[in-house]
Amino acid sequence: MTKAIAFAQYGDPEVLHPIDVEVPEPGPGQVRIAVRAVGVNPLDRRLRSGELAERFAVDLPFVPGCEVAGTVTAVGEGVTGFAPGDEVFGGTMSGGYAEHVLLAADSVGHKPASLGWEEAAALPTAAETAERVLTELGVRAGETLLVHGAAGGVGTLLLQFARARGITVVGTASEANHDHLRELGAIPVTYGEGLADRVRAAAPGGAVHRAVDASGRGDEIPVSIELTGSADRVVTIANTAAHEHGVRFNGGNGERYHRQAYAAALALHEAGALSLPLHRVLPLAEAAQAHRISEQGHLRGKIVLTV
């Protein structure tokens, strides 16, 4: 048996409790890893609270966690390129809040020795999302991209990927995070009333070509449409009600971009240009506290649990 953190009913963070589970055996195309660190994402708490129960039902008890870093302990049939003892990171649909987890081999990347466990666990979801959004939104070098929630886990990598491609980024964030965004090469603006005017004043030539909502604040969607001139030029990864404005919700239900995303992130890391700020690092046993912190918002980077 092995340990995991799960919820057996929907509710507040206190429904998260340790449970014993069988050590999983990898099937074809899977690898099993001994988890060293796991990223905490908004999806985890939205599943736990029951907010997504009607659209995304889960079997209870449910072990959350969709990005991990650890050591390979077994590989399934047909897996090549990975072997027991390899240090890796990767994404999974669930099960990350555990001592052992299964991952699809095509969502796993080798962890460089120079990349810490906590930073590696903070990378998979944000990197894949950033790569997917930039690709599917069609933003190009020389254009200006508006990113809402730019100081969060996804926003931080999104703006770094964009800057590496010659894209100018204007990012919304609280005043306390403005210096952080400037260090990453973005132009910071404060959200709230008068946002459209502040963005026009900050953007080169006053033009915004594309926008990504990573914050979920409903008032930012209409402003993004106004600034870009079309709902087709706006994507959200955080507001499931954005379709009411004709804006696409991109939750990653189609093609995945793990390989391209990991390559882009590790290229930045090797160049000494990758920033993966950690808002808070806690032991797995304090998963409930991690969810409380996540619910407060205004994060700079990711919350990570260590095993």
Side-chain angles (χ1 to χ4, degrees), residues 65-143:
C66 56
E67 57 182 348
V68 296
T71 303
V72 175
T73 57
V75 300
E77 180 183 350
V79 173
T80 59
F82 298 101
D86 287 351
E87 295 184 350
V88 298
F89 60 91
T92 180
M93 293 302 294
S94 64
Y97 290 18
E99 294 176 333
H100 297 86
V101 67
L102 297 178
L103 286 77
D106 61 6
S107 71
V108 177
H110 287 281
K111 183 187 80 66
S114 55
L115 185 65
W117 290 113
E118 293 86 356
E119 288 79 9
L123 198 157
T125 297
E128 194 277 336
T129 302
E131 182 72 19
R132 168 167 35 89
V133 167
L134 287 174
T135 301
E136 297 184 4
L137 190 57
V139 59
R140 300 183 295 272
E143 293 187 330

Side-chain angles (χ1 to χ4, degrees), residues 141-174:
E143 293 187 330
T144 295
L145 175 69
L146 173 62
V147 178
H148 298 294
V154 172
T156 294
L157 267 185
L158 180 60
L159 69 86
Q160 291 178 76
F161 279 19
R163 294 293 298 132
R165 300 176 192 194
I167 298 163
T168 298
V169 178
V170 176
T172 67
S174 62

